Amino acid sequence: MMELPRLLLYYSEGHLTGGHRSFVKPAGHNTWRDDQPITIDDGSGTSTQQVIVIESAVAEAAGPGVKRESSEGEEDPWHSKDIQTRVAGAPPVATDDPTTAPAQPRTRCSITEVSGMPNAVKSETKTLTVHTGSDHRSDPETLGLRRMGCPPVPGSEYLPVFHQIQKMVNSRGDGDTLDTEVDDPSCSYATEMDPGNIPLGLKRPTDQSKWDWNQYSSSACSEGCLDKKGEVIVVDEVTVKVEGDVPPTWNAVSHQGDGHSQGRDFLDYRESLETNPNVTTHSPLHALMDCNLVSTSMGPSDSHGHILFDQVLNSNNRAGAQAQGGGATSGNIKEKRFLCMFCHKGFSCLQKVEIHQRVHTGEKPFSCTQCEKRFSRQDHLKRHQRVHTGEKPFSCTQCHMRFAQAGHLKMHLKVHTGERQFACTHCGKRFTERSYLRIHQQKKHSTL
DNA sequence: CTGGGGACGGGGCCC
DNA sequence: AGGGCCCCGTCCCCA
């Protein structure tokens, strides 16, 4: 059984925070490189944030004024069983049958029209059902992409398409049709999405093992999509109950490691789903992924669509969820209720998880005006710019050396103190830095 | 080879 | 909530 979740859907249109910028990776490049020219989109356009509150999500779902039109979707064996975030009273609309509907959109799309909001916001969205990975595409036809000259790309990643969708959403703020804003610069890559013109790294790899997460993140995330920050799905707490035990893979070790490997796991996972629509998985990552896709389809989404499961998303799975983040969420879960959709690490607030997710997406919204270098964080940019200004605020009191970073000074002070706290366990040799010790051990004791 | 410094990524915390 | 700072870690380059 499950109770009726109260689902809050946030998304912003071109919402940029803190100097947030989108960036458009040049076509043909699969990874971000510092030396690559990048088109900066300051996102000076609309920056409205819209909130769709779907209360109790019963049949009337979003309540008065909100019309929901569930399209074909699919039953998710896992989510319907284990997560049960599905709206109560909204039984599975359709059973996923890849044999009968192979070309069906794999996302359940709907049009949510929120009345009472300025401009009578209409938004493309999906039902809030969390689907399996085999259900993570929006229907391009439903979304009017064909009319926009953006035919669906078989097997291609859909995030840029969703960007299109978002643009449509923007355009529909005035009640216009979906086909507006075709001249929006962000649509420029729409043609790039054409199957015949899509060397964007969006092709699906034939060999999953060779699939580069950067390829995904840089293409799908940077293809003009990054100006769509802030969309959030918050599965509100308390009302969500979860049935079933923690899936065995919930604590799987496969989602550990560095960010890219996490992303790769994430992608490989989805890849497997795409290549095998019949695959049934129980990975929570899967759930997160699909949630993301739900948010993605809502409009401004991108690969950074934030899946923020509130603290009791998995009231029964908390232990697993805590373990999942490598212990990152093992602290006060109430304080870290925003989960990274990639690694499930918990953060205390939305912005933190947004920033953190750049680890996985590779997004670097902050660019140096003097050297084109880009940074994921503003303070990193500020710190970097000391390279250009020559500013060295940190001075040694013992030798008048100056440093641009506090850490440099701290490290330098060891020269004076003679501190060598890192001792080799093999030969006893001591070093001032852990990295020195590590290198020493690699070279001297690698055979041990 | 080692030490020193520069640069940067990421998390946590404070204001 | 957002910005900034501190801290830690890592990598790289050079003497």
Side-chain angles (χ1 to χ4, degrees):
Chain A
M1 281 296 293
M2 68 178 180
E3 296 182 8
L4 306 180
R6 174 173 170 266
L7 301 166
L8 301 180
L9 305 182
Y10 299 83
Y11 69 92
S12 62
E13 295 183 353
H15 176 59
L16 305 176
T17 60
H20 222 116
R21 295 175 180 177
S22 65
F23 49 97
V24 180
K25 187 178 70 64
H29 294 73
N30 293 333
T31 58
W32 281 107
R33 298 171 61 94
D34 288 336
D35 55 352
Q36 283 182 341
I38 298 168
T39 299
I40 304 298
D41 178 6
D42 279 321
S44 57
T46 59
S47 182
T48 60
Q49 183 164 33
Q50 301 167 0
V51 178
I52 299 175
V53 179
I54 302 180
E55 288 283 357
S56 297
V58 199
E60 58 270 29
V66 178
K67 178 177 65 177
R68 304 187 66 196
E69 299 174 3
S70 296
S71 62
E72 287 297 300
E74 63 182 354
E75 178 75 35
D76 182 319
W78 182 63
H79 291 93
S80 62
K81 177 182 177 182
D82 294 329
I83 285 207
Q84 293 285 3
T85 53
R86 174 166 300 160
V87 172
V93 176
T95 301
D96 182 25
D97 186 352
T99 62
T100 58
Q104 284 293 319
R106 296 202 288 177
T107 45
R108 180 179 305 184
C109 300
S110 66
I111 303 297
T112 299
E113 179 174 353
V114 179
S115 64
M117 295 181 65
N119 300 324
V121 175
K122 281 185 180 179
S123 64
E124 291 286 348
T125 183
K126 299 177 185 175
T127 61
L128 299 172
T129 303
V130 179
H131 296 284
T132 61
S134 60
D135 181 12
H136 55 269
R137 285 185 192 167
S138 56
D139 181 357
E141 190 152 0
T142 299
L143 300 174
L145 291 179
R146 289 188 179 178
R147 285 180 292 164
M148 295 185 67
C150 303
V153 181
S156 69
E157 302 305 333
Y158 35 77
L159 292 171
V161 174
F162 290 144
H163 184 52
Q164 288 290 346
I165 295 165
Q166 192 274 333
K167 285 301 176 184
M168 292 187 288
V169 172
N170 278 340
S171 67
R172 297 176 66 182
D174 55 3
D176 207 341
T177 66
L178 286 171
D179 293 338
T180 59
E181 277 197 56
V182 292
D183 56 340
D184 187 289
S186 65
C187 290
S188 59
Y189 70 92
T191 55
E192 297 170 0
M193 290 299 297
D194 187 283
N197 185 21
I198 189 173
L200 296 174
L202 295 177
K203 292 178 181 177
R204 293 172 60 189
T206 54
D207 182 357
Q208 293 182 27
S209 65
K210 295 178 181 178
W211 179 245
D212 184 358
W213 165 243
N214 288 325
Q215 193 176 14
Y216 170 79
S217 63
S218 62
S219 58
C221 301
S222 61
E223 289 291 342
C225 295
L226 291 177
D227 54 336
K228 306 303 180 299
K229 303 295 293 183
E231 69 268 35
V232 172
I233 293 180
V234 175
V235 179
D236 206 357
E237 57 186 301
V238 178
T239 56
V240 177
K241 285 189 175 181
V242 179
E243 282 188 350
D245 296 329
V246 178
T249 57
W250 182 258
N251 292 321
V253 297
S254 61
H255 304 302
Q256 297 176 356
D258 60 50
H260 289 294
S261 64
Q262 290 164 356
R264 194 172 297 113
D265 290 338
F266 158 78
L267 194 65
D268 287 345
Y269 184 82
R270 192 176 66 187
E271 182 71 14
S272 67
L273 293 170
E274 290 188 352
T275 55
N276 183 6
N278 292 320
V279 65
T280 298
T281 180
H282 297 274
S283 167
L285 187 61
H286 192 191
L288 292 171
M289 176 59 197
D290 281 319
C291 286
N292 175 44
L293 293 167
V294 170
S295 71
T296 297
S297 69
M298 288 183 58
S301 201
D302 48 30
S303 66
H304 314 275
H306 305 295
I307 307 309
L308 306 175
F309 284 94
D310 230 336
Q311 64 200 48
V312 197
L313 168 64
N314 305 303
S315 58
N316 290 342
N317 293 357
R318 179 169 298 178
Q322 289 173 354
Q324 178 65 23
T329 59
S330 61
N332 188 345
I333 194 168
K334 232 177 181 180
E335 296 298 324
K336 295 183 176 181
R337 49 204 283 258
F338 299 93
L339 302 182
C340 171
M341 61 166 287
F342 296 98
C343 68
H344 306 168
K345 187 169 185 176
F347 294 87
S348 58
C349 63
L350 171 60
Q351 191 202 11
K352 300 301 182 186
V353 74
E354 283 186 352
I355 293 174
H356 162 77
Q357 286 186 155
R358 293 173 189 161
V359 173
H360 306 294
T361 64
E363 180 193 6
K364 294 184 175 182
F366 306 99
S367 60
C368 178
T369 57
Q370 302 192 44
C371 72
E372 303 296 328
K373 278 196 173 184
R374 306 182 65 86
F375 300 89
S376 61
R377 287 165 37 171
Q378 192 172 23
D379 58 325
H380 285 175
L381 171 60
K382 186 177 180 179
R383 184 179 63 183
H384 158 78
Q385 287 179 326
R386 291 176 190 157
V387 175
H388 302 301
T389 64
E391 180 187 5
K392 294 185 176 181
F394 306 97
S395 58
C396 177
T397 58
Q398 309 205 26
C399 71
H400 301 97
M401 280 197 71
R402 302 182 68 86
F403 302 90
Q405 297 181 29
H408 298 166
L409 173 59
K410 184 177 180 179
M411 212 165 53
H412 163 76
L413 287 175
K414 294 177 181 178
V415 174
H416 298 301
T417 63
E419 177 186 355
R420 293 173 181 266
Q421 64 179 108
F422 301 100
C424 177
T425 56
H426 302 296
C427 66
K429 189 172 177 65
R430 304 185 71 87
F431 301 89
T432 59
E433 300 298 329
R434 189 191 307 275
S435 59
Y436 301 158
L437 171 60
R438 182 174 48 79
I439 294 171
H440 162 80
Q441 289 181 329
Q442 286 175 350
K443 292 180 177 178
K444 294 290 186 180
H445 310 293
S446 60
T447 58
L448 294 179

